[in-house]
Amino acid sequence: MEHRSDPTASSDSEDSEDFADTALFQEPDGYFRPKEPPSFAEHTLLSGEKLRMRLVGQNPLWGHLLWNGGQVMSEYLQQHAKDLVVNKDVLELGAGAGLPGIVCGILGARKVLITDYPDEELVENLKFNVDNCEYLKTSRSEIDAEGYLWGAASSASMSSGFDLLILADLLFNHSEHAKLLSTICLTLKRIPAACALVFFTPYRPWLFDKDMAFFDLARQGGFVVEKVLEKVMENVMFTEDRGDELLRKTVYGFLLRWSL
């Protein structure tokens, strides 16, 4: 939103009657952009079947995009479903449209909880995508969506812990790294097979080191960190951004396990 001067500011010499005109406080036509409607995006599964995901309209929490990290992670989950997903309890954080979590439901996870910031529009959209996914209607997975603030106490639905945590394209929130790690510590089962998948693209290449600082924090917190993937996409996601184009096209994937 553009900066505007305060319309109530006045000098001592101005007549107080000027403020009786309510038009003084009305924004000009077009000042507030109309709310944008939801849009839809498709993701093709490795089987060739297509998932149609609804995205919220323009959203300050970035839920209006189908991020590269989530799409590449969805492919990775399909390739490693037997070890990571089947009969597992799965939690997705910062889910946006919920693509990886929904894919886990399709692949046969025992339970999937898809979460994002407790914004009514975001959570309602997650529930819409779960309820309207044709491939989930024949799935035995217990799948739900709810709002969750990173670092907050676990809700009742999280109390038993999870075998797999999904974090896709969240590391650009550098100020939230500690809260993300706190949530991993709270919700990841303390068993050797449990893991957290963290996939991301350095959309701001000049801050790549700050993105990667999350993994230093994870090691300090008692996790073993393993790089499992590096994939260069065909195109950058944000064409007008500056910085190294190759980095902006690359998705990096890491796996975190407890150091037991």
Side-chain angles (χ1 to χ4, degrees):
M1 185 179 292
E2 65 177 299
H3 174 74
R4 301 177 74 250
S5 58
D6 182 357
T8 64
S10 63
S11 67
D12 293 338
S13 62
E14 285 181 307
D15 256 346
S16 61
E17 283 127 15
D18 288 344
F19 296 97
D21 182 1
T22 58
L24 183 66
F25 299 97
Q26 293 177 357
E27 304 292 355
D29 291 342
Y31 181 70
F32 291 110
R33 291 195 301 179
K35 185 175 180 179
E36 295 187 20
S39 61
F40 288 86
E42 279 192 346
H43 176 79
T44 304
L45 300 174
L46 298 182
S47 64
E49 296 170 307
K50 296 184 182 297
L51 288 182
R52 190 168 187 256
M53 309 296 297
R54 191 177 78 170
L55 309 173
V56 297
Q58 188 74 25
N59 187 282
L61 300 171
W62 300 97
H64 58 290
L65 300 169
L66 197 61
W67 292 81
N68 286 342
Q71 297 192 67
V72 173
M73 183 182 285
S74 296
E75 295 172 0
Y76 186 85
L77 290 166
Q78 292 169 77
Q79 294 164 344
H80 299 84
K82 183 179 178 180
D83 294 329
L84 295 178
V85 180
V86 177
N87 293 323
K88 306 291 188 182
D89 296 333
V90 180
L91 171 66
E92 183 174 5
L93 301 172
L99 175 62
I102 287 174
V103 167
C104 286
I106 295 170
L107 292 172
R110 178 170 49 229
K111 179 176 77 172
V112 182
L113 181 61
I114 305 174
T115 69
D116 206 328
Y117 185 84
D119 170 84
E120 182 179 357
E121 184 180 24
L122 280 178
V123 176
E124 187 279 328
N125 191 68
L126 280 173
K127 291 180 180 292
F128 176 92
N129 283 333
V130 169
D131 293 342
N132 289 275
C133 178
E134 292 295 324
Y135 304 112
L136 287 177
K137 293 180 180 178
T138 56
S139 170
R140 296 182 179 179
S141 296
E142 175 191 336
I143 184 165
D144 200 3
E146 65 179 46
Y148 175 70
L149 277 174
W150 302 337
S154 300
S155 65
S157 53
M158 298 181 180
S159 59
S160 59
F162 296 88
D163 302 290
L164 174 65
L165 303 188
I166 294 172
L167 294 79
D169 269 332
L170 305 183
L171 295 192
F172 66 89
N173 292 290
H174 301 140
S175 64
E176 300 298 301
H177 283 185
K179 293 178 183 177
L180 280 171
L181 186 63
S182 173
T183 296
I184 294 173
C185 293
L186 284 170
T187 59
L188 187 66
K189 293 179 181 178
R190 284 184 174 265
I191 58 175
C195 65
L197 287 177
V198 184
F199 281 36
F200 76 102
T201 291
Y203 297 105
R204 298 171 296 175
W206 59 94
L207 297 176
F208 188 29
D209 288 345
K210 289 191 174 183
D211 295 338
M212 291 296 293
F214 173 80
F215 301 107
D216 294 331
L217 196 64
R219 292 183 185 97
Q220 295 167 17
F223 290 93
V224 176
V225 178
E226 177 188 1
K227 184 178 178 181
V228 295
L229 177 141
E230 182 174 326
K231 179 175 180 178
V232 178
M233 308 297 283
E234 185 176 349
N235 299 303
V236 297
M237 191 164 174
F238 302 102
T239 57
E240 296 181 0
D241 280 0
R242 60 188 174 91
D244 187 300
E245 184 172 299
L246 180 60
L247 277 177
R248 292 191 290 122
K249 291 197 293 187
T250 304
V251 177
Y252 296 91
F254 290 82
L255 184 147
L256 278 58
R257 295 191 192 273
W258 288 108
S259 178
L260 298 174

